[in-house]
Amino acid sequence: MKITIEGREFNLSANGRFMQKYCKLFEENLTLTLYNALEKRDMYSIAKLMYCAINEEKSFDEWLDSFNSPLFLVNHMDEVLKFLVEDTKPTIENKDNKSSKKKKIAN
């Protein structure tokens, strides 16, 4: 998903590496942060999640400082949350699903 903020375009991509990046960088539970982002509309949590979903060479602090307004996400919070919750699809199949499909075919 592409999103434009302050004239800059960001390509959001959330996969397994997204989760790894988030946990390593912030040393927090991704699920709890996502819950806070959804329930409390916590803009800082949403910014951290968005940062991990983009390919950015700057540190998180440098990235935040690169925006003109501390409220740069206010008009885009719904888009980012929708992307993280609804548009994210797993990129791998569960092993149990593969074996149950084979069993169904064999029967």
Side-chain angles (χ1 to χ4, degrees):
M1 172 185 158
K2 291 187 180 187
I3 185 170
T4 302
I5 300 174
E6 292 187 358
R8 295 171 23 207
E9 188 174 87
F10 298 96
N11 189 25
L12 280 70
S13 175
N15 52 23
R17 190 168 300 189
F18 162 80
M19 178 174 53
Q20 180 185 37
K21 181 179 178 180
Y22 184 86
C23 292
K24 184 178 178 180
L25 183 63
F26 296 108
E27 297 179 353
E28 296 175 355
N29 183 307
L30 175 69
T31 306
L32 291 176
T33 301
L34 187 55
Y35 175 80
N36 282 333
L38 292 167
E39 289 296 313
K40 298 177 182 176
R41 313 259 319 139
D42 179 9
M43 190 167 45
Y44 186 68
S45 293
I46 296 169
K48 292 189 300 185
L49 292 164
M50 181 182 164
Y51 176 78
C52 290
I54 62 173
N55 186 13
E56 180 65 53
E57 293 182 19
K58 297 176 184 174
S59 72
F60 178 65
D61 290 337
E62 291 172 324
W63 181 72
L64 285 177
D65 286 343
S66 72
F67 292 98
N68 295 325
S69 169
L71 303 175
F72 67 95
L73 269 178
V74 167
N75 294 326
H76 305 283
M77 288 172 45
D78 290 333
E79 292 174 83
V80 174
L81 288 173
K82 182 178 185 261
F83 164 76
L84 290 168
V85 176
E86 296 176 5
D87 295 343
T88 305
K89 296 185 177 39
T91 56
I92 59 171
E93 260 190 64
N94 185 334
K95 289 182 182 180
D96 293 336
N97 288 344
K98 287 182 180 180
S99 60
S100 65
K101 285 180 185 177
K102 288 180 184 175
K103 288 178 186 175
K104 287 180 184 177
I105 293 171
N107 290 331

